[in-house]
Amino acid sequence: MRAVVQRVSRASVEIDGNVVGEIGAGMLVLLGAEAGDCERDVAWLASRLARARIFDDGAGKMNLSVRDVGGNALVVSQFTLFGTMKKGSRPSFCRAAVPADAEPLYEKFVAALSAEIGKPTPTGRFGAMMNVSLVNDGPVTLVFDSRVPEF
């Protein structure tokens, strides 16, 4: 699984003009599942994100996790994280998990992250066309990949 995580002062996701998920300070998680991902990837990524020290302490150093600061997470599915431009000018998404496999992993990830941070995690809607709005705090943007842990 791959996640692009942005530290935000606020973020929301809208479908057909209706806000379906929003948070104040915390992290926006754009989440993609790769073909072959499993529950081990879900558990690793949820734990890693909950523990990632990407929030500032009193000295202005990134020493605090989303749990430490009482922050929130908003998770939005994004299969395009596995797009490649190896040939031509149009991306290929053949590395992304098919929806029948990706959606259950997405739902398990949301549940696991909610448990890790100790509060409900708002989401977009899997497979929907969504408008995502955010105010990036920092800016801080990081990429996490369960198959490339040092990424």
Side-chain angles (χ1 to χ4, degrees), residues 12-149:
S12 64
V13 62
E14 186 179 293
I15 300 172
D16 296 327
N18 299 309
V19 174
V20 297
E22 64 184 327
I23 61 169
M27 59 173 58
L28 170 64
V29 180
L30 304 175
L31 180 71
E34 186 173 11
D37 281 347
C38 63
E39 289 188 34
R40 179 180 40 85
D41 298 283
V42 168
W44 180 88
L45 189 57
S47 174
R48 186 81 169 130
L49 295 187
R51 293 181 295 111
R53 297 184 319 175
I54 64 171
F55 295 89
D56 294 346
D57 63 14
K61 301 274 187 195
M62 281 197 242
N63 277 326
L64 302 174
S65 71
V66 68
R67 291 189 297 204
D68 296 332
V69 299
N72 298 291
L74 171 64
V75 179
V76 176
S77 63
Q78 192 168 354
F79 75 95
T80 61
L81 294 179
F82 286 102
T84 62
M85 299 289 289
K86 187 174 180 180
K87 296 180 183 177
S89 300
R90 183 173 165 217
S92 167
F93 302 106
C94 61
R95 289 181 52 201
V98 297
D101 294 336
E103 188 170 12
L105 291 171
Y106 168 77
E107 291 170 358
K108 288 175 183 177
F109 174 81
V110 171
L113 185 59
S114 294
E116 288 278 352
I117 65 173
K119 57 175 70 176
T121 300
T123 66
R125 185 179 322 133
F126 185 89
M129 197 62 176
M130 297 173 273
N131 292 322
V132 179
S133 300
L134 67 124
V135 176
N136 195 317
D137 179 23
V140 173
T141 303
L142 298 164
V143 178
F144 295 81
D145 192 309
S146 62
R147 295 193 190 184
V148 189

